[in-house]
């Protein structure tokens, strides 16, 4: 279809990225027998997406590049975020809204931050300890989630 401006094209590309990310996250949710690990598995799928499509991933979150917040962009980015929100809520459906907001922002910061740092080669690593980014992400989320119960 025809897009009127370059900004609309970038927004469409970013929306496609969010749609693909949502599919990856939903595939994790659909995996049988993984309910206890859904959030951790989703975080690993998020990291895998970032590594598989780094240019699109960077575009999706670049407000300087995606200046046109089209309806499609808002819908697709909101849908991806809603998947994360639902996974956090499933940890404890009775948690207070304040606790939910705190945990959501903390988990989101960890998942997204580690993914960005990995793409930029800026994760601090000791020369004596070799740890994979996925292990670092998994272990950190596991302790965060267990601490929230």
């Amino acid at each position: 279809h025809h897009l009127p401006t370059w900004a609309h094209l970038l927004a469409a590309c970013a929306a496609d990225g969010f749609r693909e990310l949502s599919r990856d996250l939903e595939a994790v949710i659909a995996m049988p027998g993984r309910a206890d690990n859904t959030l951790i598995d989703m975080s690993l799928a998020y990291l895998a997406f970032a590594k598989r499509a780094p240019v699109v991933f960077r575009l999706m979150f670049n407000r300087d590049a995606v200046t046109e917040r089209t309806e499609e962009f808002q819908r697709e980015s909101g849908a991806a975020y809603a998947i994360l929100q639902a996974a956090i809520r499933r940890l404890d459906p009775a948690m207070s809204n304040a606790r939910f907001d705190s945990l959501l922002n903390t988990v989101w910061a960890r998942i997204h931050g580690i993914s960005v740092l990995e793409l930029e080669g800026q994760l601090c690593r000791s020369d004596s300890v070799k740890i994979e980014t996925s292990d670092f992400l998994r272990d950190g989320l596991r302790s965060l989630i267990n601490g929230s119960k």
Side-chain angles (χ1 to χ4, degrees):
H1 57 237
H2 175 73
L3 298 169
T5 67
W6 178 252
H8 284 86
L9 175 63
L10 291 176
C13 290
D16 285 345
F18 279 113
R19 202 171 7 262
E20 184 178 344
L21 176 60
S22 291
R23 280 193 299 267
D24 290 355
L25 298 177
E26 288 169 344
V28 167
I29 293 168
M31 292 169 50
R34 301 290 295 165
D36 290 346
N37 293 308
T38 298
L39 186 60
I40 291 169
D41 291 343
M42 284 174 55
S43 72
L44 297 175
Y46 188 99
L47 176 62
F49 173 82
K51 291 167 77 172
R52 184 178 71 242
V55 173
V56 172
F57 180 82
R58 287 181 180 107
L59 176 66
M60 290 161 55
F61 299 100
N62 186 334
R63 290 186 175 272
D64 293 330
V66 182
T67 57
E68 189 64 46
R69 301 293 191 196
T70 63
E71 183 179 315
E72 177 190 31
F73 175 87
Q74 291 178 23
R75 181 181 61 247
E76 298 303 334
S77 62
Y81 194 64
I83 294 168
L84 175 62
Q85 289 175 308
I88 298 290
R89 184 57 77 186
R90 279 192 299 275
L91 292 174
D92 178 6
M95 81 173 78
S96 70
N97 287 339
R99 178 69 185 133
F100 172 78
D101 289 345
S102 175
L103 189 56
L104 175 64
N105 284 303
T106 302
V107 168
W108 162 243
R110 184 173 297 253
I111 294 170
H112 185 73
I114 289 173
S115 296
V116 169
L117 290 170
E118 172 69 11
L119 289 183
E120 299 302 324
Q122 295 179 341
L123 277 176
C124 296
R125 291 193 165 99
S126 168
D127 291 335
S128 62
V129 178
K130 299 297 181 203
I131 185 168
E132 292 295 320
T133 304
S134 57
D135 293 333
F136 178 68
L137 182 57
R138 182 185 302 109
D139 294 346
L141 279 174
R142 189 170 287 128
S143 65
L144 181 68
I145 292 166
N146 291 336
S148 74
K149 292 182 180 176

